[in-house]
Amino acid sequence: MKVALKAPPWAQKLISDLTDMDRDPRPVTPGEVVEYELPDDAYFEYGFIDTDGKVRPDPANERRAKSVWYGEVSYLTGPDYEPDELAQPPEELARGDVDRLRIESALMAGQTRRVTVYTPAGVGKDTPTPLAIVQDGVAMMRIGSLHLLLEALIERGDVVPARLAFIEPIDRMSEYAFDESYLRFVEEELEDELGGRYDLTARRVWIGASLGALASAQLALRRAEREPELASGDAVLALSGAFLGTPDSFDAYRSTKSWLLERIRDGSTPLPATWHLHVGTLEWLHDVNRLVHEALAARRNVNATYSESAAGHNWPNWQNALPDAMRRVLG
């Protein structure tokens, strides 16, 4: 589809999925028309930056989205765009048990870490169940509705029940970027706490989006190296994984290196058996995610699946991707 965006009188810059939003904004003059050619099944977010540096939606477009990073923005969809039927599951599916934990972490300098554990309806605390460890916990619950989606998929017989441990970061930009203290908190203190409260099987499912996907991949690989037999049945669900950068030189936006890609290409690195990667074709992380999938697919005894959509780095993209992704790692 062809898109023509006219800059309002107050606009200084245009941001969109094609400019990595505000990371590479396009300067515009009032009244200027910017044209794009997008796929017919695209979901496309954009906005304009005014003279005060504030992101504002397009006054000529009534379709608005709430971005967790930019506030209110505009969006367009192509004629073939269809959201997944479970992208926004109904609230009445919240039939399970919710435990809100506060864990004082010696490894994280005495910080109190918030973790919400969701146990699906019909699963008792003494029922042996896989554990899914979810980064960006509040967003994954409130926006991703992952617990509601899990109930819907269980009801349909698409997935097996699992407990969801939603971890809320304090400083995700540092904690998810190869922070040894945070990784050890999850591996040691969180695992000890949850193992003492619930009957858990050995299987772990590591779930995250963007930097949360990077943290999930780190934890998954560390467990595979530390406990290869226990971790052999683990799975990784990565949405728009921020797989650019290395521990020594971390830049999730402009780096030309990828720690994860290098580790997977090293055939001696143990890996979890199951991976599902999803990424938007309109975001800067598309190429590295595709390369990571290709490297995973080349490894023996690894079941790696991959999906992409004509969308950017945003929650509507991930909401649409989550139903199939959960089937891939828990089906």
Side-chain angles (χ1 to χ4, degrees), residues 61-326:
N61 181 1
E62 295 181 353
R63 304 177 80 184
R64 306 290 171 84
K66 292 287 187 181
S67 169
V68 296
W69 303 287
Y70 307 107
E72 192 175 52
V73 296
S74 298
Y75 76 93
L76 297 169
T77 58
D80 295 338
Y81 170 75
E82 291 186 12
D84 191 281
E85 61 173 326
L86 292 177
Q88 294 183 321
E91 286 290 338
E92 53 264 29
L93 287 170
R95 299 186 290 255
D97 295 325
V98 178
D99 297 321
R100 304 189 187 280
L101 311 181
R102 301 292 184 269
I103 303 173
E104 186 172 327
S105 172
L107 291 167
M108 300 293 291
Q111 293 176 351
T112 298
R113 311 301 303 212
R114 295 186 301 162
V115 181
T116 300
V117 179
Y118 183 85
T119 300
V123 176
K125 289 192 175 182
D126 297 329
T127 304
T129 312
L131 175 66
I133 295 181
V134 187
Q135 306 299 326
D136 290 308
V138 170
M140 278 288 189
M141 282 197 79
R142 293 181 181 175
I143 306 174
S145 302
L146 188 62
H147 59 307
L148 307 180
L149 173 61
L150 178 64
E151 293 281 15
L153 293 173
I154 292 172
E155 191 173 81
R156 296 181 179 204
D158 291 350
V159 302
V160 299
R163 285 187 175 86
L164 304 175
F166 294 94
I167 312 175
E168 181 59 14
I170 292 177
D171 183 356
R172 69 189 301 275
M173 294 298 292
S174 63
E175 292 169 6
Y176 291 170
F178 307 100
D179 185 311
E180 183 67 20
S181 296
Y182 178 75
L183 297 171
R184 288 187 57 201
F185 159 71
V186 176
E187 294 167 337
E188 300 172 28
E189 295 173 325
L190 179 61
E191 280 277 1
D192 287 349
E193 179 72 24
L194 299 183
R197 287 175 174 268
Y198 309 101
D199 194 343
L200 303 173
T201 67
R203 190 166 195 251
R204 299 290 177 266
V205 180
W206 308 93
I207 299 176
S210 192
L211 283 172
L214 175 62
S216 297
Q218 293 171 66
L219 289 160
L221 264 64
R222 285 165 66 103
R223 187 171 194 246
E225 291 177 338
R226 188 175 65 251
E227 302 172 298
E229 292 187 5
L230 284 178
S232 61
D234 286 3
V236 178
L237 191 169
L239 304 173
S240 300
F243 297 146
L244 294 174
T246 67
D248 296 329
S249 178
F250 184 71
D251 187 335
Y253 303 116
R254 297 175 178 84
S255 179
T256 59
K257 296 183 178 181
S258 169
W259 169 87
L260 180 60
L261 185 58
E262 292 171 2
R263 296 296 302 277
I264 295 170
R265 285 175 171 170
D266 176 1
S268 65
T269 301
L271 299 174
T274 302
W275 293 70
H276 181 76
L277 276 62
H278 174 85
V279 68
T281 60
L282 306 183
E283 56 177 308
W284 81 100
L285 293 168
H286 174 253
D287 289 349
V288 70
N289 275 265
R290 178 178 52 80
L291 290 172
V292 167
H293 171 254
E294 290 175 357
L296 287 167
R299 291 286 301 266
R300 293 182 57 191
N301 301 320
V302 173
N303 175 24
T305 53
Y306 172 85
S307 61
E308 57 185 36
S309 58
H313 198 79
N314 51 54
W315 272 101
N317 179 14
W318 303 335
Q319 288 171 315
N320 284 325
L322 270 171
D324 184 60
M326 290 290 282

